């Protein structure tokens, strides 16, 4: 979805260069050069963009719900781990990049959705995603958000990343998380409280071509993901006037459940053992959150999360 919009924006930029408006393209390139670091410095959110009426219809289409299970004190900074990635990451966008759902449930907190830095190199598209509250997923960007001394900032990181989208099959509960400990280290360095977030229904929006690990398709997808930085899942869903085939996501409810915070004491130089210990605690809390809520959102009792 993001790639399609990005391609449109890049195409428009090429038209400016080739057409009679090349001077506008030159001016924009100058602006891009001067503004290059903004995605790593808190971005440039626009309350007007985040409040567009179209987002209300976007949330109601599925529909998307944000579930609060605990208070988050705005005097602290938080690192929210979002699971799973899915194909569209609709729950993350709908809940953290549009208003007013999050700010009504968690007053005093400002969410920042961290996405791959590559998207901020796309002309015009970068302005749009920053206006929605998205920032770079680089270490510098996360540090900038969590360094707010007054608290009230919430970094939202899709922990499984692009690689996890290749597991986004209906009913799949496999999370790429065992080797992903960078977010734990960032939380420790900044004393940001960790909050597990599970989005029920995220993997049900599309049907993906079978790509089990070890298959030729999965091998090609993983190689392309390493080269380009983002994955290319082969998926389909419904069309505009029919439900058999198309790229419009299915109307499946998404319930994004925000768990209780895990208090984290600042440690500027955490050891490997301390990182592993907190990582294990995070996995425990994430699994507990899932088990406590899975029966409410149609997950069979015998199914559990799979960490890999």
């Amino acid at each position: 979805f993001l790639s399609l919009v990005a391609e449109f924006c890049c195409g428009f930029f090429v038209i400016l260069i080739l057409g009679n408006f090349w001077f506008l393209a030159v001016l924009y390139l100058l602006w891009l050069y001067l503004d290059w670091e903004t995605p790593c410095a808190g971005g440039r959110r626009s309350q007007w963009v985040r409040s567009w009426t179209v987002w209300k219809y976007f949330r109601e289409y599925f529909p998307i719900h944000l579930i609060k299970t605990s208070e988050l004190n705005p005097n602290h900074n938080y690192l929210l781990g979002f699971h799973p990635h899915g194909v569209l990451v609709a729950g993350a966008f709908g809940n953290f990049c549009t208003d007013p759902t999050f700010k009504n449930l968690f007053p005093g907190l400002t969410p920042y959705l961290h996405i791959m830095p590559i998207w901020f190199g796309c002309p015009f598209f970068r302005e749009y995603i920053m206006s929605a509250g998205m920032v770079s997923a680089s270490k510098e960007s996360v540090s900038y958000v969590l360094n707010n001394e007054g608290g009230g900032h919430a970094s939202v990181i899709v922990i499984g990343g692009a690689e996890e989208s290749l597991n986004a099959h209906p009913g799949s509960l496999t999370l790429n998380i065992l080797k992903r400990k960078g977010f734990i280290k960032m939380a420790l360095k900044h004393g940001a409280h960790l909050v597990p977030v599970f989005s029920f229904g995220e993997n049900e929006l599309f049907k993906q071509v079978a790509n089990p690990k070890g298959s030729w398709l999965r091998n090609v997808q993983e190689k392309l993901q390493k080269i380009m930085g983002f994955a290319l899942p082969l998926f389909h869903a419904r069309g505009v006037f029919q439900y058999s085939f198309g790229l419009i996501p299915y109307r499946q409810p998404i319930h994004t459940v925000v768990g209780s915070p895990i208090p984290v004491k600042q440690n500027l130089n955490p050891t490997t053992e301390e990182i592993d210990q907190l990582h294990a605690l995070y996995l425990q809390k994430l699994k507990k959150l899932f088990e406590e809520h899975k029966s409410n959102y149609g997950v069979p009792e015998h199914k559990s999360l799979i960490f890999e």
Side-chain angles (χ1 to χ4, degrees):
F1 176 75
L2 282 177
S3 61
L4 289 175
V5 180
E7 286 175 10
F8 173 81
C9 292
C10 290
F12 178 71
F13 183 71
V14 171
I15 291 173
L16 287 182
I17 295 176
L18 299 179
N20 295 324
F21 302 97
W22 59 267
F23 61 94
L24 293 178
V26 172
L27 288 176
Y28 184 79
L29 285 175
L30 176 60
W31 161 256
L32 195 63
Y33 173 78
L34 296 174
D35 194 57
W36 190 255
E37 297 299 326
T38 300
C40 294
R44 187 170 45 249
R45 71 179 54 221
S46 165
Q47 199 62 39
W48 175 66
V49 172
R50 289 173 59 89
S51 301
W52 281 352
T53 303
V54 67
W55 304 136
K56 175 178 178 292
Y57 294 117
F58 174 80
R59 293 191 301 268
E60 291 177 351
Y61 171 80
F62 298 97
I64 295 174
H65 305 279
L66 187 64
I67 315 300
K68 176 182 179 179
T69 64
S70 178
E71 294 292 338
L72 297 183
N73 189 334
N75 293 325
H76 298 295
N77 293 318
Y78 298 88
L79 195 158
L80 278 62
F82 184 92
H83 312 270
H85 183 286
V87 172
L88 189 62
V89 205
F93 179 82
N95 287 310
F96 305 118
C97 295
T98 70
D99 286 331
T101 307
F102 184 87
K103 70 178 183 181
N104 286 347
L105 287 180
F106 301 101
L109 279 182
T110 301
Y112 296 82
L113 179 60
H114 296 269
I115 65 174
M116 292 183 297
I118 188 174
W119 297 117
F120 296 97
C122 299
F124 302 116
F125 180 68
R126 69 188 297 275
E127 317 304 333
Y128 158 68
I129 56 179
M130 278 197 290
S131 66
M134 293 182 233
V135 292
S136 172
S138 66
K139 292 180 181 179
E140 295 78 12
S141 177
V142 177
S143 291
Y144 185 93
V145 173
L146 298 181
N147 265 337
N148 186 39
E149 294 183 0
H153 283 187
S155 281
V156 183
I157 302 177
V158 184
I159 305 300
E163 183 182 356
E164 194 173 83
S165 68
L166 300 178
N167 291 327
H169 296 272
S172 173
L173 295 172
T174 301
L175 303 181
N176 293 59
I177 191 172
L178 291 182
K179 296 181 180 179
R180 295 177 182 265
K181 301 179 182 180
F183 73 104
I184 298 291
K185 189 174 182 179
M186 294 300 292
L188 282 166
K189 282 191 171 184
H190 297 283
H193 295 197
L194 281 167
V195 182
V197 178
F198 194 87
S199 195
F200 291 90
E202 198 74 47
N203 283 339
E204 323 307 318
L205 305 184
F206 297 92
K207 292 180 180 178
Q208 188 173 170
V209 175
N211 60 341
K213 284 187 175 295
S215 65
W216 69 268
L217 176 58
R218 186 60 169 257
N219 290 335
V220 170
Q221 289 175 320
E222 290 177 347
K223 288 179 181 179
L224 289 175
Q225 189 262 322
K226 290 179 180 178
I227 294 172
M228 300 184 297
F230 57 89
L232 291 173
L234 297 179
F235 60 89
H236 68 88
R238 54 162 293 187
V240 178
F241 301 111
Q242 43 77 28
Y243 290 83
S244 57
F245 188 82
L247 295 179
I248 298 176
Y250 293 116
R251 297 192 70 175
Q252 295 290 339
I254 298 173
H255 294 88
T256 303
V257 184
V258 181
S260 301
I262 303 171
V264 177
K265 185 177 181 180
Q266 187 174 25
N267 183 348
L268 295 178
N269 296 292
T271 64
T272 301
E273 291 74 20
E274 290 169 330
I275 293 173
D276 289 343
Q277 184 178 14
L278 183 55
H279 186 261
L281 176 60
Y282 179 86
L283 294 182
Q284 177 186 331
K285 294 295 185 181
L286 174 59
K287 187 172 184 179
K288 180 181 178 183
L289 176 70
F290 174 81
E291 293 295 333
E292 288 178 347
H293 294 273
K294 68 180 184 181
S295 61
N296 297 331
Y297 307 117
V299 179
E301 186 61 32
H302 68 278
K303 286 203 167 187
S304 297
L305 294 179
I306 299 173
F307 299 142
E308 65 175 30

